[in-house]
Every structure is written in C-alpha cells, then in structure tokens.
Amino acid sequence: HPSIEKVVVVGRQMGAEEMAIVAYYASDSAALSAELRQHVQRLLPDYMVPRAFVPMTDWPLTPSGKVDRRALPDPDPTHRTVLNDFVAPRTPIEQQLAEIWQDLLKLERVGVHDSFFELGGHSLLATQVVSRIRSTLSVELPLRQFFDTPSIAQLAVSIAEMDASDFAYATPIARRGRQRIKRSTLS
C-alpha cells in the first residue's frame, strides 16, 4: 500500500481462539485499517487476509535493532474492521446460516454481506460450517464453494439454486446383500 512504509505480519493467538494472521503497520491512524484490508483483499484470497490490522507508532526492538515480534501488542479481539453496513438475514436460509456463523465465530450478530474470513473465520472453521450446513440444511456443499462464496447472501443464493441432482453423490448408497460366488474345483 502506498501510504505504508513498514509492516510486520505474524501468527498470533487471539484470546481463546486459534492462531490468526495479524498485520502490524507503521501509522498512528486506526482508520487506515479498513483501507488496508481492502487493498490486501485485492491481492490475496480471503483466508490469507489478516484477521486484525494494528497501527503502530513505536516498534518494540530486539537488542540487535530488529522488530521484537514477541513483544508486539495483542490485537483487541473485539475489534473487527467493518466494511459493510449491517444487513439482517432476510430468508430462512440466510437466518440458518447466520445462526451457524454466530455460533462458530462467537458473535452476537452477523450481516448477510459480511465475509466469513473478515469476521475471523479460517479454513478449519470453514469445514465446521460446511458440516453444519450438511446437518442443518441437508445440503452437501463442497468446501471450495464455501471459499468462493464467503458471505451469507452469496452462500444462500448458491444453496437455493442447488438442484438435488447436482449432489446425487451425497445420497447414501443403499446397502446390498453379499452375493456368494461358487468356486469351481479343478479336477
């Protein structure tokens, strides 16, 4: 990004959650976080975009003058960069998806245009979402589809448009009895 001279990206433990990608950047403006997120999203897939962007005015340094990554401050786990205005679920599918996301991401509310990955989701949680979609909505959603449509609105449209024949492989295979094969003996 043209206004950033220095950035450090690290994996950090965020509260009780798993590891998350956090970007620390040289600036005294927290308002720049949303712009940086949008810039990075144009360059990287959603799951690689840092969960938090932390502005830094003073960098902790090691005795050799390098950035002391272990001394970087923990990001505020309640702070999330909001890029979209909140839009409540409008359909039953959107409502069920929102409930799944709220439960897994431990959020009070989720808008239909919010990206799963911007809200703190990652690939392991994505597999749990797909599993819950399977059990709640009885739809076998390919994981790739989830990564391609990471908002509730996009995902709900994809699920609503799915034709049962597209997912015939998800239908359990009927169990058959075993057939016995007679073995002929050689004389």
Side-chain angles (χ1 to χ4, degrees):
H1 190 276
S3 62
I4 300 299
E5 293 180 24
K6 184 176 188 173
V7 67
V8 174
V9 179
V10 297
R12 295 295 298 251
Q13 190 79 24
M14 291 187 63
E17 297 177 21
E18 296 178 12
M19 295 293 287
I21 301 171
V22 178
Y24 296 88
Y25 62 95
S27 176
D28 57 358
S29 171
L32 188 57
S33 293
E35 186 179 334
L36 287 176
R37 179 180 298 281
Q38 289 174 335
H39 177 73
V40 172
Q41 283 177 319
R42 288 190 293 269
L43 303 172
L44 297 172
D46 283 339
Y47 62 92
M48 293 178 73
V49 174
R51 186 179 303 179
F53 291 79
V54 180
M56 299 289 292
T57 53
D58 295 318
W59 294 88
L61 302 176
T62 64
S64 63
K66 295 181 181 181
V67 173
D68 186 353
R69 293 170 181 260
R70 287 181 275 162
L72 289 168
D74 289 331
D76 180 1
T78 62
H79 173 72
R80 287 181 165 58
T81 305
V82 178
L83 297 176
N84 303 308
D85 291 332
F86 177 77
V87 176
R90 304 159 294 197
T91 67
I93 292 174
E94 287 181 350
Q95 181 61 42
Q96 287 178 313
L97 291 172
E99 290 170 7
I100 291 169
W101 288 21
Q102 288 168 338
D103 184 43
L104 289 174
L105 296 171
K106 298 176 182 26
L107 297 173
E108 289 184 27
R109 72 178 196 169
V110 176
V112 297
H113 299 298
D114 295 333
S115 168
F116 178 77
F117 300 104
E118 287 175 13
L119 294 175
H122 49 77
S123 59
L124 293 176
L125 280 179
T127 59
Q128 291 180 32
V129 170
V130 169
S131 175
R132 294 228 186 144
I133 289 171
R134 181 183 313 113
S135 64
T136 305
L137 299 171
S138 300
V139 172
E140 186 69 32
L141 182 75
L143 187 59
R144 182 77 241 158
Q145 176 77 28
F146 185 80
F147 281 95
D148 291 342
T149 55
S151 76
I152 289 174
Q154 294 170 321
L155 199 55
V157 168
S158 295
I159 290 171
E161 291 176 346
M162 288 181 184
D163 181 31
S165 65
D166 291 341
F167 294 98
Y169 64 86
T171 305
I173 298 172
R175 187 175 184 111
R176 291 185 172 180
R178 294 185 179 194
Q179 295 178 352
R180 294 191 176 221
I181 301 174
K182 284 188 176 182
R183 294 186 181 187
S184 61
T185 57
L186 295 173
S187 349

